[in-house]
Amino acid sequence: MKKFRFPLDTVLSYKQQVLDALRGEHAAILAEVHTQEEWVEHLWQEYRAYSEEYRQRSAEGLVMTEALMYQTGLRSIEREIQRETEKLDALRAKEEAKRAEVVEAKKETSSIEKLREKKLDAYHKEEAKSEEIFIEEFVSTMRVVSQANG
């Protein structure tokens, strides 16, 4: 019997390549998200440490210029936290969109893979039936030859 050939193998191969590429892009965006999350957390730690230092120094007594310096520094860190949090939100949205693309590509690939499996299953059944018919014909022919000689 002829070898199994699925007509959509090239399409399946292409869809798999697209899926792999999208997964790679998604992984890269996820890495960016994690890096940005760590950076925002670092900024918050810096803010808390600077704020604590300001409280301690205020308790000891500060001159007005030093107090203003601390307040300006705190506001500066707050603005940076806000900017970096906005970047993080944008990255998360980008990651979510890429995840949706990966899911859609996976659905497309899976549907073609399931179709391929069904076709391969049908091919195996047809192959088994063909072998069974061949064996039956062979046995039948052997009986006829055996009876003719016997």
Side-chain angles (χ1 to χ4, degrees), residues 38-132:
E38 290 171 0
W39 179 243
V40 169
E41 180 55 35
H42 167 76
L43 289 172
W44 274 110
Q45 289 173 357
E46 187 178 307
Y47 179 83
R48 288 188 289 270
Y50 198 67
S51 181
E52 182 59 32
E53 181 183 329
Y54 175 49
R55 275 190 232 115
Q56 288 176 355
R57 295 285 312 270
S58 293
E60 298 167 2
L62 281 175
V63 292
M64 184 58 90
T65 55
E66 286 182 321
L68 288 173
M69 179 190 75
Y70 275 105
Q71 290 173 359
T72 302
L74 286 170
R75 299 306 156 252
S76 173
I77 296 172
E78 286 171 358
R79 284 190 301 276
E80 187 173 1
I81 288 171
Q82 184 178 2
R83 274 192 312 274
E84 296 302 324
T85 300
E86 288 170 0
K87 284 183 188 177
L88 178 58
D89 291 342
L91 281 172
R92 284 180 176 156
K94 185 177 174 183
E95 182 272 331
E96 184 62 37
K98 191 57 72 175
R99 181 184 312 139
E101 285 183 56
V102 169
V103 167
E104 190 58 35
K106 180 64 182 154
K107 284 180 189 175
E108 292 174 9
T109 304
S110 291
S111 65
I112 296 173
E113 286 172 342
K114 286 178 185 174
L115 179 61
R116 185 182 195 287
E117 287 173 18
K118 285 181 182 178
K119 295 286 186 183
L120 183 59
D121 212 27
Y123 168 81
H124 286 306
K125 286 178 184 174
E126 185 65 33
E127 189 177 49
K129 187 187 289 184
S130 179
E131 285 178 15
E132 191 177 311

